[in-house]
Amino acid sequence: MQGFAGFLWLLNLALTVFSAFALFDAAFRREDAYRAADKKTKPFWLIILGLALVVNLIFGILSFLPIIGLIATIVYMVDVRPALRALPGGGRPNRGSSSDGPYGPYNGGR
């Protein structure tokens, strides 16, 4: 039984990490990217993925609620995330070049 309990613990940990990754990925995408990809809004996905993460933390893997959260996380990862990444800039905020200063790009003193 200890081996089975260890396996369930590892499975629960994997589901929690998977949900946390999806939540952080959704949080760092731009709001307008969700509308441009014709998906639900960013707050919708943050709430759904946040609930999935909380359910994974509270309930064990043998409950049906983490399975529902897993389905929502899989939908985000296989449908929404690729649509956001296909947009120009990958749906991420524009941070500019690493050589950009406060007044624009650095041109080497020319």
Side-chain angles (χ1 to χ4, degrees):
M1 285 308 273
Q2 286 181 338
F4 184 67
F7 173 73
L8 287 180
W9 183 82
L10 285 175
L11 188 61
N12 194 20
L13 179 67
L15 289 178
T16 303
V17 169
F18 186 55
S19 296
F21 174 76
L23 177 64
F24 287 121
D25 184 71
F28 287 109
R29 301 286 175 180
R30 292 189 332 250
E31 168 67 36
D32 61 337
Y34 288 88
R35 285 180 272 135
D38 197 29
K39 301 298 176 187
K40 295 285 187 185
T41 63
K42 182 176 182 175
F44 172 82
W45 283 108
L46 290 177
I47 290 169
I48 295 296
L49 295 172
L51 286 173
L53 179 62
V54 168
V55 164
N56 281 335
L57 290 173
I58 293 175
F59 295 103
I61 189 63
L62 295 178
S63 176
F64 71 94
L65 290 175
I67 304 301
I68 295 171
L70 175 64
I71 292 169
T73 305
I74 290 172
V75 167
Y76 174 81
M77 293 298 286
V78 300
D79 183 38
V80 178
R81 186 172 187 252
L84 295 175
R85 292 183 75 188
L87 296 172
R92 297 213 177 249
N94 186 9
R95 292 186 177 92
S97 173
S98 62
S99 64
D100 285 354
Y103 305 109
Y106 178 70
N107 61 6
R110 291 182 242 150

